[in-house]
């Protein structure tokens, strides 16, 4: 397979599957199979792309054969290839879960076309080499996400969708306005061209304003403090499969975009901006973990833990060192996989116990011991304990903070890990260990198509934790590529010549 096709395949595949699902609109059972086959191919394409980038370095193609920086650039470097591969694995797991985890309203309302469309937006955001097209992919992602929230036709989901849409549209407007100011100052929108031009420019009001707008826009998209309140409102009300897709992917697109834009255009976060990002990262970590600790609804607790995880990812951007960015790249992959797993497991727990309210359930270790073991693995990874991927993710981030002369930030990262462990312990004690409350409805037999996908993701986390070296090597390459984008620039502009 040619490198040009391999780079664009993660966008073409889900787009094609969305078209097939629309053609089979009256046959939801066919849509299921189209989606699961498409997501399996997407996961395989993501892994193939990752291996190709590992062997050959940055890959780029120009659809339409318009030379960069004038045409549309699609670019895969170690960071984007890692993100696409992890997203493909979660999408495949969710597509299998969808055999039993989607209600009839959603099936007949376009769930599967929207699912495939969401993956088009996610992978397009990861692979785009153009800042305006990043906005376009944001819009594709946002439209499909709102559709997935309302397709179940539940009043509480409609309320969540309105709040989600309002805040994210606000963030999108900020981003598009920043793009306009950036174009006015630099005269180009291609990432590689901007990376060549912007660092050489004199400071100007337009460039400064663009930087501030990008900071705010990505803060909304990534659910950073104090702009995160929309996330717990929206995510915990959605069906488990939608929460899993959102929790694993949507905020990661926001922080990925922030890393890409700030490292390519502004050479990282320095000066006042750097100090702001440091403290925003620290407060986001702690606020998310504390918010999770006081919850009694399982999925709302997990939603707050998404916020906490975004603080760890922001640390890499705050440090703006190859080590910090590499650690954040590793954490990004870990977080995509584990957040997908825990939200799918939250759905399984709700089926097993009849509720996601921790005060109303219990005793699952006796009725569903296999589920207890699987969740324990996911929880240990979420808390950052060995032998799972979360251990390396949090150790690498904290170590980068200590090496980057930010010991307070490193200490906060380790302390927040302890708070996360307390959250996992609370879930375990309430849902699994304590006696079942009177009147709890237990489902004796759980659908395998709901249990197996989450198990697959937990096993991936375990494999990463046990055999961490290859992923650490790729993450370090991603961090080095962000810190020194010369290879990215040369590949994209050279591909267009």
């Amino acid at each position: 397979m040619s490198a040009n096709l391999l780079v664009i395949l993660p966008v073409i595949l889900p787009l094609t599957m969305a078209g097939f699902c629309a053609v089979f609109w009256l046959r939801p059972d066919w849509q299921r199979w189209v989606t699961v086959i498409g997501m399996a191919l997407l996961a395989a394409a993501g892994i193939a792309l990752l291996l190709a980038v590992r062997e050959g370095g940055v890959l780029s193609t120009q659809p339409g054969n318009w030379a960069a920086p004038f045409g549309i650039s699609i670019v895969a470097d170690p960071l984007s290839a890692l993100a696409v591969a992890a997203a493909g694995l979660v999408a495949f797991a969710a597509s299998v879960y969808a055999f039993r985890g989607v209600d009839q309203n959603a099936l007949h309302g376009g769930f599967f076309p929207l699912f495939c469309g969401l993956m088009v937006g996610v992978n397009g955001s990861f692979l785009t080499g153009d800042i305006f097209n990043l906005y376009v992919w944001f819009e594709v992602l946002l439209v499909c996400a709102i559709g997935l929230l309302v397709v179940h036709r539940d009043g509480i989901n409609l309320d969540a969708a309105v709040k989600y849409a309002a805040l994210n549209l606000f963030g999108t407007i900020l981003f598009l306005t920043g793009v306009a100011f950036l174009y006015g100052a630099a005269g180009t929108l291609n990432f590689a061209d901007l990376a060549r031009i912007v660092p050489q420019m004199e400071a100007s009001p337009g460039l400064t304003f663009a930087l501030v707008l990008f900071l705010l826009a990505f803060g909304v998209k990534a659910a950073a403090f104090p702009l995160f309140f929309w996330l717990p409102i929206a995510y915990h009300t959605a069906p488990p499969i939608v929460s899993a897709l959102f929790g694993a992917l949507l905020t990661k697109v926001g922080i990925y975009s922030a890393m890409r834009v700030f490292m390519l255009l502004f050479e990282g976060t320095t000066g006042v901006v750097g100090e702001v990002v440091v403290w925003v990262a620290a407060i986001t970590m702690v606020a998310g973990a504390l918010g999770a600790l006081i919850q009694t609804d399982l999925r709302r607790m997990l939603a707050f833990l998404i916020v906490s995880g975004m603080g760890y990812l922001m640390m890499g951007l705050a440090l703006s060192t190859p080590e910090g960015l590499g650690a954040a790249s590793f954490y990004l992959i870990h977080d995509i996989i584990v957040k997908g797993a825990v939200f799918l497991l939250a759905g399984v727990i709700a089926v097993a116990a009849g509720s996601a309210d921790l005060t109303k359930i219990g005793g699952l270790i006796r009725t569903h011991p296999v589920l207890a073991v699987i969740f324990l693995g996911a929880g240990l990874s979420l808390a950052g304990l060995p032998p799972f991927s979360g251990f390396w993710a949090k150790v690498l981030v904290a170590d980068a903070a200590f090496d980057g002369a930010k010991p307070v930030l490193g200490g906060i990262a380790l302390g927040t890990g302890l708070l996360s462990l307390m959250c996992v312990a609370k879930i375990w004690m309430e849902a699994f260990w304590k006696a079942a409350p009177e009147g709890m409805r237990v489902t004796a037999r759980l659908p395998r198509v709901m249990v197996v996908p989450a198990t697959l993701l937990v096993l991936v986390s375990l494999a990463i934790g046990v055999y961490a070296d290859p992923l650490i090597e790729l993450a370090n390459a991603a961090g080095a590529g962000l810190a020194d984008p010369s290879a990215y620039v040369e590949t994209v502009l050279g591909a267009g010549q």
Side-chain angles (χ1 to χ4, degrees):
M1 185 181 297
S2 70
N4 287 349
L5 179 58
L6 198 56
V7 173
I8 203 168
L9 200 57
V11 177
I12 292 175
L13 273 173
L15 184 61
T16 303
M17 296 306 118
F20 277 121
C21 287
V23 170
F24 300 140
W25 186 268
L26 299 179
R27 297 298 302 268
D29 51 334
W30 291 16
Q31 293 178 39
R32 277 194 181 100
W33 283 106
V34 166
T35 302
V36 75
I37 292 169
M39 294 306 123
L41 293 173
L42 181 62
I47 293 170
L49 179 62
L50 180 60
L51 294 175
V53 169
R54 184 183 181 187
E55 293 298 320
V58 181
L59 302 177
S60 175
T61 187
Q62 306 290 132
N65 292 324
W66 284 85
F70 307 106
I72 297 173
S73 296
I74 306 295
V75 190
D77 65 350
L79 178 60
S80 57
L82 281 166
V84 167
L89 288 173
V90 170
F92 173 63
S95 68
V96 176
Y97 185 97
F99 271 82
R100 291 291 296 272
V102 181
D103 64 30
Q104 290 299 312
N105 283 336
L107 287 179
H108 294 283
F111 173 84
F112 288 108
L114 288 168
F115 181 164
C116 295
L118 185 79
M119 295 312 300
V120 174
V122 168
N123 286 337
S125 299
F126 288 148
L127 293 170
T128 184
D130 180 290
I131 196 167
F132 181 78
N133 283 315
L134 180 60
Y135 156 75
V136 173
W137 294 123
F138 276 172
E139 289 300 291
V140 172
L141 191 155
L142 180 60
V143 168
C144 293
I146 293 170
L148 287 170
L149 282 172
V150 303
V151 76
H152 292 81
R153 305 175 194 177
D154 190 319
I156 191 170
N157 289 336
L158 292 173
D159 179 66
V162 169
K163 294 171 182 175
Y164 173 86
L167 265 295
N168 278 273
L169 282 172
F170 175 65
T172 299
I173 291 170
L174 291 175
F175 179 68
L176 185 58
T177 306
V179 170
F181 276 97
L182 178 64
Y183 183 69
T188 183
L189 295 171
N190 183 278
F191 275 136
D193 208 28
L194 286 166
R196 182 177 60 84
I197 293 171
V198 172
Q200 308 302 322
M201 293 175 59
E202 295 288 336
S204 66
L207 206 56
T208 301
F209 198 42
L211 186 152
V212 172
L213 288 172
F214 289 148
L215 193 63
L216 292 172
F218 294 136
V220 172
K221 297 290 184 183
F225 178 87
L227 305 169
F228 66 82
F229 56 87
W230 60 268
L231 191 151
I233 293 172
Y235 281 22
H236 89 286
T237 61
I241 186 172
V242 176
S243 297
L245 289 169
F246 286 14
L249 300 175
L250 298 197
T251 50
K252 311 310 181 298
V253 171
I255 194 64
Y256 168 90
S257 302
M259 292 165 68
R260 180 70 70 199
V261 169
F262 278 96
M263 294 308 302
L264 279 175
L265 276 60
F266 304 108
E267 298 181 316
T269 55
T270 57
V272 175
V273 174
E275 290 301 315
V276 168
V277 175
V278 164
W279 287 108
V280 168
I283 297 172
T284 300
M285 274 189 288
V286 176
L290 290 176
L293 199 55
I294 63 174
Q295 303 303 317
T296 58
D297 184 280
L298 173 56
R299 289 194 293 149
R300 190 172 175 86
M301 179 182 289
L302 295 176
F304 273 101
L305 288 175
I306 293 173
V307 175
S308 183
M310 298 316 295
Y312 283 93
L313 287 164
M314 291 185 70
M315 281 180 62
L317 184 58
L319 295 169
S320 292
T321 61
E323 295 77 16
L325 294 163
S329 300
F330 189 101
Y331 197 100
L332 179 71
I333 308 313
H334 149 76
D335 211 47
I336 288 174
I337 292 168
V338 173
K339 288 301 194 307
V342 293
F343 272 101
L344 291 179
L345 285 169
V348 178
I349 289 171
V351 170
S355 174
D357 188 337
L358 295 175
T359 64
K360 298 178 181 178
I361 64 177
L364 291 179
I365 194 171
R366 288 171 282 279
T367 58
H368 297 87
V370 174
L371 176 61
V373 172
I374 297 167
F375 185 85
L376 180 62
L380 291 176
S381 188
L382 191 65
L385 295 181
F388 295 90
S389 60
F391 170 75
W392 291 108
K394 295 191 176 182
V395 165
L396 290 171
V397 168
D399 185 59
F402 288 120
D403 289 344
K406 294 284 192 300
V408 174
L409 199 57
I412 291 173
L414 294 175
T416 304
L418 181 60
L419 292 176
S420 299
L421 179 59
M422 293 170 65
C423 292
V424 171
K426 179 178 178 179
I427 296 171
W428 177 262
M429 295 301 295
E430 293 290 324
F432 292 95
W433 193 256
K434 79 177 185 189
E438 186 177 350
M440 187 182 99
R441 303 189 313 274
V442 177
T443 301
R445 187 175 179 83
L446 297 174
R448 290 183 181 178
V449 291
M450 297 179 73
V451 177
V452 170
T455 305
L456 169 67
L457 294 178
V458 174
L459 291 175
V460 171
S461 175
L462 177 61
I464 292 173
V466 174
Y467 302 103
D469 286 346
L471 187 59
I472 290 175
E473 179 184 341
L474 283 165
N476 287 337
L482 286 170
D484 178 11
S486 57
Y488 184 101
V489 174
E490 290 170 8
T491 301
V492 174
L493 297 183
Q497 293 173 356

